[in-house]
Amino acid sequence: RLAHLRYAPMAGGDLAARRPWRAAAGYLSLAPEQAAAFEEAFCCVPERERRLAAAQIERRVNAPLASSMGRLFDAAAAVLGVRRVASYEGQAAMELEALASTALLRLARRLADPAELVTRSRVTDRLPDLDLPTLADGKGADGPTLMDPVPLLSELGGRVASGEEVGRLAAAFHLAVGRTTIELAAAACGEGGVERVALGGGVFQNALLLAIVGKGLEDRGFEVLLPERLGPNDGSISYGQAAVAAARLSAERGR
């Protein structure tokens, strides 16, 4: 494991996937002084629920730590006021992606392939310049690099509070996540002499992020491998487990 997001407590565990404001609360707990920037995430959330979630986080009771990209996208959707409560897992991230794609297409003024769209400077230069930073001391001798989402979420919250358009901020968020991913992957490949990068995980169901990262790596000369017969998300883990079990059974039977 070469890099990952900072761990953040998710009050209620899996409930955070249906309550994006809880994901935002987890990240806010890493930097309580940024409360003003996160305020939009808790609009209309009952005060009793907020207090309960805060107590779970503080006491580390039913608040497991997560470094999931999915929860980061949920938190961003909440901070931007896009979705605080979801009817199904992934709803907040899907709506965030839709807003970002629409904003990009409006900037381009005509339909274009997403892989081209996100690399056109005349489009991306008109978006807010956001960044997903890595911690300066986040890499030990043998440890992974840590990406710190808190400054990015705080910037989103501050900008939406000042009246900036949500779609443009959603697009800038996707670009920030994509660019940092590209940089970390390219650096790891350079150190290891690797020329191929496989993109997997549920976050790559997001067509916009997939286009940003895939095109960015291809532009640097890497061969990018994408899922074709199976999806990139957790369902394929079950398929892989079944394949391993079948192989072991076959070996035990001498086949």
Side-chain angles (χ1 to χ4, degrees):
R1 194 180 193 193
L2 299 174
H4 63 84
L5 295 171
R6 283 181 71 188
Y7 282 99
M10 295 291 123
D14 289 343
L15 184 60
R18 297 289 186 94
R19 300 290 186 271
W21 67 266
R22 288 175 176 263
Y27 279 111
L28 176 58
S29 72
L30 303 179
E33 69 279 5
Q34 298 296 327
F38 280 71
E39 197 56 40
E40 186 66 28
F42 310 113
C43 179
C44 301
V45 175
E47 184 61 30
R48 182 176 178 278
E49 284 192 50
R50 280 196 66 178
R51 288 201 303 269
L52 176 60
Q56 288 176 312
I57 290 171
E58 182 179 359
R59 298 170 187 171
R60 291 293 192 266
V61 175
N62 194 22
L65 296 175
S67 62
S68 163
M69 272 289 182
R71 299 295 77 77
L72 172 57
F73 274 71
D74 287 343
V79 167
L80 288 173
V82 174
R83 173 68 56 179
R84 302 173 189 87
V85 176
S87 300
Y88 53 88
E89 185 173 354
Q91 182 180 10
M94 291 168 65
E95 292 177 352
L96 192 69
E97 177 192 359
L99 286 169
S101 297
T102 299
L104 284 169
L105 291 172
R106 284 176 179 168
L107 287 175
R109 296 187 178 178
R110 66 185 180 86
L111 187 63
D113 177 74
E116 287 185 31
L117 189 60
V118 297
T119 58
R120 293 181 180 176
S121 60
R122 69 183 180 87
V123 173
T124 56
D125 285 352
R126 295 167 65 185
L127 292 173
D129 185 17
L130 303 183
D131 182 41
L132 172 59
T134 55
L135 294 175
D137 59 348
K139 188 172 183 179
D142 300 309
T145 297
L146 295 181
M147 295 174 280
D148 185 6
V150 175
L152 175 57
L153 293 171
S154 298
E155 185 75 8
L156 288 174
R159 285 176 177 266
V160 78
S162 68
E164 291 196 38
E165 201 267 314
V166 172
R168 289 164 61 92
L169 291 171
F173 169 78
H174 280 72
L175 286 169
V177 173
R179 285 168 177 163
T180 297
T181 302
I182 292 165
E183 292 296 331
L184 290 171
C189 287
E191 291 176 5
V194 176
E195 297 179 352
R196 295 184 183 90
V197 180
L199 302 182
V203 72
F204 284 116
Q205 292 184 103
N206 183 315
L208 179 56
L209 185 68
L210 182 66
I212 293 170
V213 176
K215 185 65 164 56
L217 289 170
E218 287 176 349
D219 287 347
R220 294 190 179 213
F222 296 105
E223 178 184 358
V224 177
L225 306 181
L226 305 177
E228 293 183 354
R229 297 185 181 182
L230 298 170
N233 58 332
D234 290 353
S236 294
I237 296 176
S238 299
Y239 184 92
Q241 290 170 332
V244 170
R248 288 180 175 175
L249 287 172
S250 179
E252 289 173 2
R253 294 169 182 168
R255 297 179 182 177

